[in-house]
Amino acid sequence: MSKDLIDVLVPIPLLERFSYKLPEELKKKNLERGMRIKIPFGNRLLVGIFWNYSDPSRNNRSSYKFIKEVIDETSLLEKKLLNLAEWASRYYHYPLGEVITYFFPPSLRKGKKAKFKESTFWQVTEKGDFIDLSGLGRAPNQRKGLELLREKGDLSQHSLKAFGVSRVSLNHLHNKGLVKKRSQEQFPVYSPEIQYSYKKLLTSEQKEAVKTISGAKGDNKIFLLNGVTGSGKTEVYLRCIKELVQKGKQALVLIPEIGLAPQAENRFKELFGDRVASFHSAKNERERLDVWLGAQKGLYDIVIGTRSSVFIPMKKLGIIIVDEEHDVSFKQSDRFRYSARDVALYRAKLYKVPVLLASATPSVESMQNALKGKYKLLNLKERATGADLPTFFPLDLKGKLLKEGFSDELLEAVKVELKKKNQVLIFLNRRGYASSLICKSCGWVSCCNRCDAHMTVHSNPSQLHCHHCENKKPLPSACPSCLDREFESFGLGTERVESYLRKKFKNYPVLRIDSDTTRQKESFKNYLEIIAEGDPLILIGTQMLAKGHHFPNVTLVGILDADSGLFSADFRGSERVAQLITQVSGRAGREKKPGKVVLQTYCSEHPQMEELLKGNYGTFIEKIIEERASANVPPFSYQVKLQAESFNGLISKDFLNSCLEHINNSKLITKDIRLVGPLPSLMEKKSGMFRWEVNLFSKSRKPLHKLIDNLQTFLYQSKQTRQVRWSIDVDPISTI
Ligand code: ADP
Ligand code: ZN
Ligand code: ZN
């Protein structure tokens, strides 16, 4: 093959690969697939990825641009990772040039060198060794620097600073030719021997799980660890990883949310010390690059990270663990719509390593895979601390008078727990003060003019806020429709519950924890510290509080509105409610004191609700699985959602119709494929755009993907796409 032209992946959402010319001096170099190169693109300079030398017969353009620079000496991504990228691009139908960028941390995407943080070291030159120090008499700091360097030979800028020698002085010495400097990469350091001083005795269920998982030597086995809240799943991860680390392997641990990172990191550090590193968006670019390089070179044994960490290179990967595998945040909801859990499964298959999916509330699809025998199911039915699971008290609200959403019974229960010096958690998955503002005389409602949604009333600062498009408006002083001035706030939000509880329980702290109160970097951590002190208090929170946290002193969880989401038009709605309720309930009574959960509901006779109200997530999920089977929806069929949005709903609809026409003409529809739509999306108007969708369901994956492949080519070529924004979502999970 001639080495004149190369094919390059360019980080833009287009399907084609672009060809570039190699300058003469680079033709001798052996380029490897995956190496980063700088290329001119339009009037910009981009970082692309070398893919292969071009096949000259395929390239018929007359002029090509020269690449500017080859950044890497070798490819930073090994072959299996490049295969993973190709697979993900094919499976999620997203351009490879964009997909491959997910494998690099931000600074490498920008073209920076793949090096650890560098520090400067100083030494004296020959001239500096012989010069008479009195010549520096008027520059005492320089003199001190030179003296120190003569004495010690070689010192880092950092240690010189500790001796009081400034960088300015060193630069002066440098300019005089008396000292020289060099840069050195700071490789991560850790104690060569791990001191496992850790002596928690495993419960028999934990032991059994560890034994089974550790038995999967070098096999691509998939385990589903279904362990009730507080059953010590983390302990199981730690032990499995310990065995692997002793054999020189690495573990990749995926967690759903950045808020859980510090807690998880601390638990792992207790056992593994500085061999643990974490990777998430709260780290700066420098830190992320260092962790990435450490993982890639096999210098960290354990990497804990959020969604995108599933792409981090690991030199000696031995296991992938997906904590809270059911969590929706593992799925990216825009652009490259991948599921980190599913990518993890494929990655483990490529690397022939086991995967451990874990949750107290496994997703319907994983549960179904376990029932089918595709995954090995491991149950932890008891709490590890010996504590009982909380007792559930369903509270039928029919005919009851509520005060700001609270029944007398729930208020009484709160009072009793606080008196016993316990902590209470009130769960409401709606932030803000009230869900809408209504005019008392004409019934005007605060709707968002850009979305099919009400604007939420917020009290601090006082304003209307659309949670779907971030549209904000001041509260109206008069009704825009009838000019009357009397309004009613309708529906409960966490701010409203907070202000009510503050008045009601004056002697106790009330902490509201939702994305409004935890926007600042450290605030969530501060809240967790207050809770950890253990004094009686009331927590009010959204789903942020439901996930994974261990609050030993919370003995009562009050769920204000257990029904919300149950009647959603989304067939996944009830699964989500069940997960949330079970997870948040699991925060109660995790240590010595028994826990109680009070669930306020209007539908205690609802057949699904019955199981949930008794705390039987397992039975609930079995019922959902039956329902899904009879409706032929995932996991009993594969789904792809094609969505189009534009300033006019008719354009979106027409566009989808032309896609359907293309699909029909392609003759790729088999009898297993079912098409639904075009229909307006559940929330048709969002951020001023009108969204329509077509859903494709298929009993088998292959014909569906073949059809979407064909459609994808059409979509990238279609002239109409200038008027619409479209997306392909494989295995979608959200309907909004
Ligand atoms: P999960 O993740 O399953 O909800 P955790 O791993 O957070 O549960 O464990 C819950 C609590 O139980 C933690 O405080 C943990 O230290 C403790 N724990 C776990 N395993 C054991 C054990 N074998 N013996 C005693 N305590 C344990
Ligand atoms: Zn009015
Ligand atoms: Zn809006």
Side-chain angles (χ1 to χ4, degrees), residues 448 450-451 466 469 471:
C448 176
R450 308 179 64 218
C451 305
C466 173
C469 71
N471 190 5

Side-chain angles (χ1 to χ4, degrees), residues 285-569:
E285 288 192 5
R286 178 72 256 170
E287 293 166 327
R288 274 198 267 179
L289 177 56
D290 286 349
V291 171
W292 191 93
L293 288 170
Q296 187 230 23
K297 295 184 192 312
L299 300 175
Y300 289 116
D301 293 330
I302 297 138
V303 176
I304 305 171
T306 44
R307 186 171 62 216
S308 66
S309 315
V310 72
F311 301 112
I312 294 182
M314 307 275 282
K315 194 173 178 195
K316 307 168 293 182
L317 185 65
I319 193 170
I320 308 181
I321 295 174
V322 185
D323 188 27
E324 313 286 359
E325 67 88 24
H326 66 280
D327 203 288
V328 291
S329 56
F330 284 125
K331 172 95 172 157
Q332 178 147 299
S333 56
D334 60 353
R335 298 160 68 91
F336 173 29
R337 291 161 205 256
Y338 69 99
S339 149
R341 178 195 62 202
D342 297 346
V343 173
L345 290 169
Y346 195 82
R347 180 168 181 184
K349 190 171 157 180
L350 283 177
Y351 280 78
K352 298 197 176 54
V353 299
V355 193
L356 175 56
L357 307 178
S359 174
T361 53
S363 60
V364 170
E365 57 268 34
S366 294
M367 212 51 191
Q368 171 60 14
N369 276 323
L371 294 176
K372 272 198 314 204
K374 220 174 132 191
Y375 301 171
K376 168 97 184 114
L377 186 62
L378 302 166
N379 288 310
L380 303 179
K381 295 192 170 132
E382 314 259 302
R383 281 186 158 174
T385 48
D388 284 329
L389 280 169
T391 322
F392 281 63
F393 296 93
L395 208 109
D396 197 329
L397 294 183
K398 284 197 276 301
K400 282 199 167 38
L401 258 183
L402 302 184
K403 295 187 194 93
E404 298 293 49
F406 284 84
S407 60
D408 288 340
E409 288 88 340
L410 180 53
L411 285 173
E412 183 57 30
V414 173
K415 200 162 110 193
V416 170
E417 292 309 312
L418 291 173
K419 278 221 167 113
K420 287 201 252 170
K421 300 209 177 333
N422 293 328
Q423 296 177 337
V424 172
L425 192 165
I426 301 295
F427 174 72
L428 177 66
N429 208 13
R430 204 178 304 122
R431 64 202 167 84
Y433 184 80
S435 18
S436 52
L437 192 70
I438 295 180
C439 165
K440 274 188 163 176
S441 43
C442 78
W444 168 90
V445 184
S446 58
C447 288
C448 176
N449 54 359
R450 308 179 64 218
C451 305
D452 291 331
H454 292 164
M455 290 186 87
T456 308
V457 184
H458 281 245
S459 62
N460 184 22
S462 208
Q463 63 182 6
L464 292 172
H465 185 170
C466 173
H467 290 175
H468 300 282
C469 71
E470 301 300 315
N471 190 5
K472 284 173 190 155
K473 276 186 195 166
L475 287 178
S477 51
C479 168
S481 169
C482 74
L483 300 180
D484 213 83
R485 285 171 184 273
E486 289 226 25
F487 295 98
E488 179 90 59
S489 292
F490 190 78
L492 280 179
T494 45
E495 282 180 16
R496 187 167 185 171
V497 172
E498 177 191 17
S499 77
Y500 174 66
L501 289 176
R502 287 223 159 137
K503 274 184 241 143
K504 182 91 195 156
F505 298 98
K506 285 202 179 69
N507 299 329
Y508 296 94
V510 175
L511 302 186
R512 169 163 64 91
I513 302 185
D514 55 28
S515 53
D516 292 323
T517 60
T518 52
R519 207 149 279 160
Q520 251 113 37
K521 210 174 164 194
E522 293 291 301
S523 50
F524 191 47
K525 226 174 106 209
N526 294 343
Y527 281 129
L528 292 180
E529 277 164 19
I530 299 175
I531 301 169
E533 281 167 21
D535 295 330
L537 51 77
I538 304 180
L539 300 167
I540 305 160
T542 55
Q543 43 93 22
M544 269 186 94
L545 273 190
K547 296 181 183 180
H549 297 286
H550 186 63
F551 303 135
N553 251 353
V554 169
T555 51
L556 171 68
V557 169
I559 298 178
L560 284 189
D561 178 10
D563 309 330
S564 66
L566 203 60
F567 300 105
S568 129

